[in-house]
Amino acid sequence: MKILTTVKKVVDVELNMHVKNGAIVEEGLQYVMNAWDENAVEASIQLKEKNNAETTTVTIGGGEDVVKVIRRGFAMGIKNGIQIDDPALAGADAFVSARVLQKVYEKGNYDLVIAGKQAQDTDNGQTGIILAEYLGLPCVSNVIAIDVMDDKHIKVSRLGDFGTEIVEIELPAVVTVDVAINVPRLPQTRGIMTAKKMPIQVMNLAALGASHADVVGAGLKSNIIEFIAPEARKTGRKFEGDAAKVTAEVVGLLVNEAKVL
Amino acid sequence: MAKVLVIADIKQGVLKSSTAQLLSKAKAIGAETAVVAIGNNIGSLVPNLVNAGSNTQYIADDPSLEMFSAGPYASCIVDAAKQFGASLIWFGFSESGKAVAPRVAARLDIACATDITDVKLDGDQIEFTRPAITNKVLQRVKVNSTQLVAVVRAGAFEATAGITGTENIVKLTAPAADLKAVIKQIISEASGEIDLSDANIVVSVGRGAKDQAGIALVKELADDLKAGFGSTRAMVDAGFIPHYKQVGQTGKIVAPTLYMAIGISGAIQHLAGMKGSKVILAVNKDPEAPIFNVADYGIVGDLFEVVPILREEIKKIRKA
Ligand SMILES: Cc1cc2nc3c(=O)[nH]c(=O)nc-3n(C[C@H](O)[C@H](O)[C@H](O)COP(=O)(O)OP(=O)(O)OC[C@H]3O[C@@H](n4cnc5c(N)ncnc54)[C@H](O)[C@@H]3O)c2cc1C
Ligand SMILES: Nc1ncnc2c1ncn2[C@@H]1O[C@H](COP(=O)(O)O)[C@@H](O)[C@H]1O
């Protein structure tokens, strides 16, 4: 089984972030592998260990931090890494990324694509699903377990609105995974050392056999006009001291001041 | 005139509140309204769909649509959107909505937005606002065409009192089943529980409660208040609480009148799911816990001591 796992460099959400003049202040930010993509990588490595799957990651983007994300995948146990780096892809949205990933998929004969449920920078949750539409492949999103049934079928569990759905999927297929699927392993020193020397297959659009028009079509479907700092909640009140006394006081406030009880 | 198609949110045969909320917003921006309802044996919901504010009801009612399947559901919505000539296609916040919206957008080749909190029309121009980066920023986004598919964030739009519509039923043909992704079974959540996303009060328990006994203590408080009972990812991962009760970025987004966070630290991913609540009460023994930054009322104390007193005090005022 050949697995393609999509991974993205995202801003570290645990660090402070500021907005100035409608833009995010870059200074002080750091970049990491998208949390959901770490789960996707872990899922594909588990399939390698259990079912002898061949593992490849692909990322769209350029720069040192993107390379680090690919190397982190290697250090966790991924075999091959592809980087699509082309200035024409700056500002790519989910549709453009999906078109690029489609080209990558078509070059590789993969049986399964594993994407993260969503990227921590966009919070979109669109790319994997749109990719499946473009490829005409079955797709199950929000997956929390993957089991190989045979060469042509997997069984997945998906968190849905009505409980956990058990779905049998014919391969090739696309799944997007939730953080609940596994606990991503931490790269070990040995893996990190090996990862440094592993080759990354870097391609631009031309090398991929795609033109700008192929992936961007008639242009982006939407544009971010500006970023806005969310309104902070007004500072509340903290009550410390004798539990019986403060609890009674707070209940009184919930009733008489906030009027919510 | 803008034409808004709302996807009816139906759960266990009941029409959820998001449908009227989205239709109210559609009317408020001067749009023509329609709703698409998908399922099996849903004919009896038509009056509810009308009362929620729709002027046309596209109904896909078929045994093959009994269980949610993203492909066929998307086909029904694309069909309705084309017949109606929809400019805006809105889903209420749900896992199904998040799974189907990108498919509909890809098939119609139009813009797609997750989690919108506001939308503005200026003639044909569509602009929307949404949070991103775990709610750390808001984005203002301009759509470059005249159509948009969007999942609306829970609690973003309010239902207008006295809203209603007119009955005009259009039956949709059921699409072919997805034979390549076959849903075999749904291990369903316990029925008869108060739905978190619809609850007026939500009580959530975090790792501070430690174990089943601690959880039971907080659950009693929720039961007293007839509140929805939620939790954190830490508790779900530990196997104490089922997934569907997780509040946060990867769980339910809730915006109740009152949210009680009991023994919850207030990680940004949890805040992303409840920060829109009207009033927040936090109980935590650590005075530095980040949850206190968003709480209107914070009690610094041991939940094992505070929760029983909370219950007693609430009982007292309920009796009075
Ligand atoms: C990609 C991603 C997505 C995530 N999505 C979600 C999500 O959707 N929802 C979510 O909740 N989390 C999510 N998380 C996890 C999140 O980062 C936190 O780990 C989690 O919310 C912590 O849960 P907690 O507050 O119960 O536990 P902890 O952080 O361990 O906090 C426990 C709190 O209880 C207090 N406490 C301990 N004992 C007592 C006592 N006796 N009385 C009173 N207080 C006490 C402690 O002071 C502490 O503040 C996500 C993480 C990632 C990376
Ligand atoms: N630039 C990218 N490179 C590689 N994978 C991506 C990229 N953008 C998105 N993805 C994948 O698509 C998932 C969902 O992204 P999004 O639709 O932006 O929320 C991510 O978790 C990644 O797995």
Side-chain angles (χ1 to χ4, degrees):
Chain A
M1 186 194 301
K2 267 182 89 176
I3 303 175
L4 181 67
T5 307
T6 59
V7 295
K8 189 182 187 194
K9 171 203 98 169
V10 296
V11 65
D12 186 343
V13 298
E14 301 296 339
L15 300 177
N16 282 329
M17 187 170 285
H18 303 282
V19 175
K20 204 172 157 189
N21 302 327
I24 294 167
V25 180
E26 290 283 328
E27 205 189 310
L29 298 183
Q30 285 180 29
Y31 297 88
V32 292
M33 186 190 288
N34 179 38
W36 281 273
D37 295 346
E38 286 204 12
N39 297 101
V41 166
E42 176 64 34
S44 67
I45 296 168
Q46 287 185 13
L47 290 171
K48 172 176 117 179
E49 290 165 349
K50 208 167 148 205
N51 305 87
N52 221 356
E54 188 188 316
T55 54
T56 305
T57 57
V58 56
T59 188
I60 306 165
E64 225 175 281
D65 290 316
V66 169
V67 174
K68 270 194 214 151
V69 164
I70 301 174
R71 297 222 180 273
R72 186 176 178 89
F74 285 156
M76 288 170 75
I78 292 286
K79 218 30 197 275
N80 312 301
I82 302 174
Q83 179 186 8
I84 308 301
D85 186 4
D86 195 306
L89 293 173
D93 62 7
F95 296 93
V96 176
S97 298
R99 281 285 179 220
V100 175
L101 295 172
Q102 177 186 5
K103 297 284 173 192
V104 174
Y105 175 89
E106 284 166 352
K107 273 193 157 231
N109 257 320
Y110 299 95
D111 301 291
L112 178 64
V113 179
I114 309 182
K117 173 191 181 178
Q118 74 192 55
Q120 286 171 294
D121 52 357
T122 65
D123 282 338
N124 274 337
Q126 299 170 5
T127 309
I129 300 170
I130 295 172
L131 170 64
E133 281 292 319
Y134 286 168
L135 291 169
L137 292 182
C139 176
V140 177
S141 58
N142 213 22
V143 163
I144 55 162
I146 305 175
D147 282 302
V148 175
M149 297 168 68
D150 56 50
D151 276 1
K152 282 271 153 251
H153 299 87
I154 56 172
K155 183 149 109 187
V156 302
S157 306
R158 159 179 203 277
L159 283 181
D161 292 321
F162 313 97
T164 304
E165 301 165 9
I166 312 295
V167 190
E168 282 180 15
I169 317 176
E170 189 182 309
L171 300 176
V174 179
V175 298
T176 79
V177 296
D178 182 52
V179 282
I181 191 171
N182 54 39
V183 179
R185 67 194 67 190
L186 285 173
Q188 304 296 312
T189 321
R190 227 190 111 124
I192 296 170
M193 295 312 286
T194 328
K196 278 190 184 148
K197 294 186 218 103
M198 288 171 69
I200 296 172
Q201 192 187 354
V202 187
M203 283 184 275
N204 59 13
L205 281 182
L208 197 57
S211 69
H212 185 255
D214 284 342
V215 298
V216 183
L220 294 181
K221 295 185 187 350
S222 62
N223 285 97
I224 299 171
I225 312 168
E226 62 167 345
F227 288 94
I228 306 167
E231 245 173 79
R233 286 185 74 94
K234 64 170 180 19
T235 338
R237 269 174 287 168
K238 212 152 58 176
F239 300 81
E240 295 184 61
D242 178 57
K245 190 174 148 282
V246 297
T247 305
E249 189 180 348
V250 168
V251 170
L253 288 167
L254 289 173
V255 175
N256 299 314
E257 186 182 76
K259 302 193 169 34
V260 289
L261 268 186
Chain B
M1 184 157 89
K3 289 181 152 193
V4 177
L5 176 68
V6 169
I7 289 69
D9 196 358
I10 302 166
K11 206 170 176 188
Q12 273 129 12
V14 178
L15 187 67
K16 306 309 284 182
S17 53
S18 78
T19 308
Q21 291 165 352
L22 271 49
L23 287 164
S24 295
K25 179 69 176 182
K27 295 210 159 174
I29 58 172
E32 198 179 318
T33 59
V35 69
V36 50
I38 307 164
N40 185 27
N41 272 325
I42 53 171
S44 61
L45 285 178
V46 169
N48 305 58
L49 296 169
V50 174
N51 288 336
S54 63
N55 288 341
T56 304
Q57 299 78 34
Y58 294 93
I59 310 285
D61 194 350
D62 194 87
S64 69
L65 297 167
E66 168 90 36
M67 285 196 272
F68 170 78
S69 176
Y73 273 52
S75 303
C76 295
I77 294 161
V78 167
D79 184 6
K82 285 186 177 159
Q83 290 194 42
F84 182 53
S87 46
L88 295 151
I89 303 167
W90 287 349
F91 293 80
F93 188 86
S94 62
E95 284 306 334
S96 320
K98 286 194 269 183
V100 176
R103 289 174 188 253
V104 172
R107 291 183 197 179
L108 294 172
D109 196 26
I110 62 178
C112 187
T114 313
D115 253 4
I116 65 167
T117 51
D118 199 8
V119 62
K120 288 199 177 68
L121 295 183
D122 182 2
D124 268 353
Q125 258 300 327
I126 307 168
E127 198 189 292
F128 61 85
T129 309
R130 64 182 293 269
I133 323 186
T134 322
N135 275 34
K136 291 201 139 184
V137 295
L138 296 175
Q139 298 175 334
R140 235 181 82 212
V141 184
K142 182 168 93 25
V143 178
N144 296 329
S145 75
T146 55
Q147 283 179 291
L148 171 72
V149 178
V151 179
V152 178
R153 195 172 167 82
F157 302 155
E158 271 177 36
T160 319
I163 190 179
T164 188
T166 50
E167 186 176 309
N168 172 31
I169 300 172
V170 181
K171 291 226 152 79
L172 301 177
T173 323
D178 187 345
L179 299 176
K180 291 187 164 178
V182 182
I183 176 154
K184 290 287 174 186
Q185 190 195 351
I186 298 181
I187 304 163
S188 57
E189 44 194 79
S191 59
E193 287 185 5
I194 295 162
D195 190 343
L196 269 184
S197 1
D198 265 356
N200 206 19
I201 301 179
V202 171
V203 175
S204 284
V205 63
R207 188 144 59 186
K210 286 188 189 70
D211 53 21
Q212 291 299 358
I215 295 167
L217 181 76
V218 181
K219 175 77 165 57
E220 282 170 345
L221 171 64
D223 291 344
D224 288 353
L225 290 165
K226 300 204 170 22
F229 187 57
S231 191
T232 65
R233 181 168 161 214
M235 296 301 266
V236 172
D237 280 354
F240 285 128
I241 304 270
H243 276 290
Y244 66 88
K245 288 186 188 295
Q246 179 174 317
V247 172
Q249 196 189 18
T250 32
K252 297 269 186 337
I253 308 279
V254 298
T257 315
L258 175 60
Y259 187 88
M260 296 192 181
I262 315 288
I264 292 174
S265 62
I268 52 164
Q269 293 90 356
H270 187 78
L271 301 185
M274 44 63 80
K275 230 166 58 176
S277 305
K278 190 164 161 254
V279 173
I280 297 171
L281 165 74
V283 179
N284 196 304
K285 70 176 183 190
D286 173 8
E288 302 304 324
I291 191 75
F292 288 126
N293 298 333
V294 300
D296 302 276
Y297 304 99
I299 301 176
V300 181
D302 186 335
L303 71 89
F304 292 93
E305 197 182 342
V306 172
V307 171
I309 304 171
L310 260 179
R311 291 186 65 203
E312 279 313 308
E313 290 296 328
I314 291 168
K315 273 193 195 131
K316 271 193 222 160
I317 47 151
R318 294 251 148 144
K319 270 201 203 114

